[in-house]
């Protein structure tokens, strides 16, 4: 049984010296907020460039107040400058099918079932099955059957390879055709790994629409892990969200009341 994991592969990093150099060249002074993170400073700086609100034009707001005000005004495009890259593993294909529907501000690189042999595929147990021994045994029997069917069809297709027309002479295309046919027998529970890059604005939208779908426990768990990771790096960009534990004992990401 694979464990859900969310790892941060890349996080916002900004070159404060480059910004300071630009300001010095422009005879501008920016009063920075001590303790603001790279992501938060990058967003603030990008916002200030819009109005050149430096020096006398800088209001007394600190970094978090400035970002709060950007969000309140709906000036959220500035948040797109902060990007994270995650490695999400131990999740089901059902989950990633929903995830990759997010088109704007997201990029994906996912384990291929055409290039990767899935003979040893693992399967993600739905939370409501987990912990109920009878249900779990039944579920395991069914996914084992699916894996056996995959392996059986794969070996039959490999035996039949010389007679298959799909490759048109290219062995890689024969393999693709064989694995494509075999994977048709794998269930939605099949475990997968996906690298996800997303910006803060896109993640905020994701938390809004996905973070608190009560019956979608896998989605809630991943949303919560993503939320924990990004708030560590840039709490001001997500200050209007929080994690709560719902009655079922699982987390959800909600808008603060
Ligand atoms: C509870 C729930 C149930 C769902 N059920 C189904 C279902 O049964 N079947 C199904 O197919 N999908 C379903 N979805 C997926 C849903 O329809 C979206 O595809 C998915 O949530 C991505 O959301 P999005 O389009 O807002 O995100 P993104 O693709 O990231 O887009 C972000 C925002 O950009 C704007 N935008 C993006 N593309 C366009 C465009 N082409 N034109 C104009 N504006 C655009 C919109 O404002 C959009 O909200 C469901 C989602 C949820 C949350």
């Amino acid at each position: 049984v694979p464990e859900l994991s969310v790892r941060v592969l890349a996080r916002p990093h900004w070159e404060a010296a480059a910004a300071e150099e630009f300001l010095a060249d422009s005879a501008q002074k920016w009063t920075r907020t001590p303790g603001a993170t790279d992501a938060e400073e990058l967003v603030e700086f990008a916002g200030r460039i819009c109005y050149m609100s430096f020096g006398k034009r800088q209001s007394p707001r600190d970094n978090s107040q400035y970002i709060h005000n950007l969000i309140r005004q709906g000036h959220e495009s500035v948040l797109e400058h902060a990007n994270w890259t995650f490695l999400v593993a131990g999740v089901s294909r059902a989950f990633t099918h929903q995830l990759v529907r997010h088109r704007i501000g997201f990029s994906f690189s996912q384990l291929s079932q055409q290039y990767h042999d899935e003979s040893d595929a693992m399967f993600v147990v739905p939370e409501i099955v987990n912990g109920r021994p009878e249900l779990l045994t039944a579920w395991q029997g069914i996914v084992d059957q699916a894996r056996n069917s995959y392996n059986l069809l794969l070996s039959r297709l490999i035996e039949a390879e010389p007679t298959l027309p799909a490759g048109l002479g290219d062995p890689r295309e024969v393999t693709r055709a064989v694995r494509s046919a075999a994977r048709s027998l794998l269930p939605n529970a099949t475990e997968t790994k996906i690298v996800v890059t997303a910006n803060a604005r896109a993640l905020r939208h994701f938390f809004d629409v996905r973070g608190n779908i009560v019956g979608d426990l896998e989605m809630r768990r991943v949303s919560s892990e993503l939320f924990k990771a990004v708030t560590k790096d840039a709490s001001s960009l997500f200050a209007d969200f929080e994690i709560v534990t719902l009655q079922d004992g699982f987390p959800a990401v909600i808008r603060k009341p």
Side-chain angles (χ1 to χ4, degrees), residues 97-106 202 205-206 208-211 213 216 219:
H97 186 78
Q98 293 171 293
L99 175 66
V100 302
R101 295 294 303 279
H102 289 266
R103 300 157 289 180
I104 311 296
F106 277 88
H205 176 65
F206 182 79
D208 263 333
V209 297
R210 300 291 193 177
I213 301 174
D216 197 337
M219 185 62 80

Side-chain angles (χ1 to χ4, degrees), residues 15-82:
E15 300 289 346
E20 293 286 6
E21 185 188 277
F22 165 81
L23 292 171
D25 287 353
S26 317
Q28 299 283 350
K29 185 164 166 27
W30 173 28
T31 305
R32 292 164 62 189
T33 304
T37 65
D38 277 21
E40 291 165 342
E41 284 214 308
L42 174 60
V43 167
E44 181 189 341
F45 182 78
R48 291 195 179 283
I49 281 289
C50 297
Y51 313 104
M52 286 304 280
S53 50
F54 301 101
K56 284 188 190 145
R57 294 171 63 86
Q58 177 167 0
S59 73
R61 288 190 186 101
D62 69 10
N63 173 275
S64 66
Q65 290 165 335
Y66 186 88
I67 289 171
H68 171 77
N69 197 45
L70 281 177
I71 293 169
R72 192 182 56 79
Q73 290 179 331
H75 194 177
E76 289 204 28
S77 60
V78 186
L79 275 49
E80 294 167 19
H81 297 295

Side-chain angles (χ1 to χ4, degrees), residues 28 61 87 158-159 177 199 232 236-237 248 250:
Q28 299 283 350
R61 288 190 186 101
L87 169 60
I158 289 169
E159 279 167 27
N199 68 55
K232 247 189 221 164
S236 300
L237 301 184
D248 55 17
F250 287 93

Side-chain angles (χ1 to χ4, degrees), residues 119-253:
S119 308
D120 295 324
M122 293 194 286
F123 301 99
V124 176
V125 187
E127 295 292 355
I128 61 163
V129 171
N130 214 358
R132 290 179 172 77
E134 269 180 40
L135 271 179
L136 186 58
T137 305
W139 181 90
Q140 273 167 342
I142 294 164
V143 294
D144 279 348
Q145 267 176 24
R147 186 174 29 213
N148 291 342
S149 304
Y150 173 91
N151 287 334
L152 182 65
L153 184 58
L154 192 69
S155 57
R156 291 270 175 88
L157 286 163
I158 289 169
E159 279 167 27
E161 260 181 21
T163 64
L164 297 177
L168 301 173
D170 182 341
R172 283 172 313 175
E173 293 308 317
V174 175
T175 304
R176 191 200 303 277
V178 163
R179 287 189 182 150
S180 295
R183 75 171 175 177
S184 69
L185 300 175
L186 290 174
N188 266 332
T190 307
E191 190 254 351
T192 188
K193 303 134 194 6
I194 188 166
V195 172
V196 183
T197 297
N199 68 55
R201 186 186 196 181
L203 284 162
R204 289 172 55 82
H205 176 65
F206 182 79
F207 296 143
D208 263 333
V209 297
R210 300 291 193 177
N212 186 25
I213 301 174
V214 175
D216 197 337
L217 295 172
E218 192 176 16
M219 185 62 80
R220 274 167 49 196
R221 284 187 66 200
V222 177
S223 298
S224 303
E225 291 305 313
L226 294 174
F227 179 74
K228 279 189 237 165
V230 295
T231 43
K232 247 189 221 164
D233 290 334
S235 58
S236 300
L237 301 184
F238 303 95
D240 41 351
F241 291 87
E242 64 181 343
I243 296 188
V244 292
T245 303
L246 299 190
Q247 275 180 352
D248 55 17
F250 287 93
V253 180

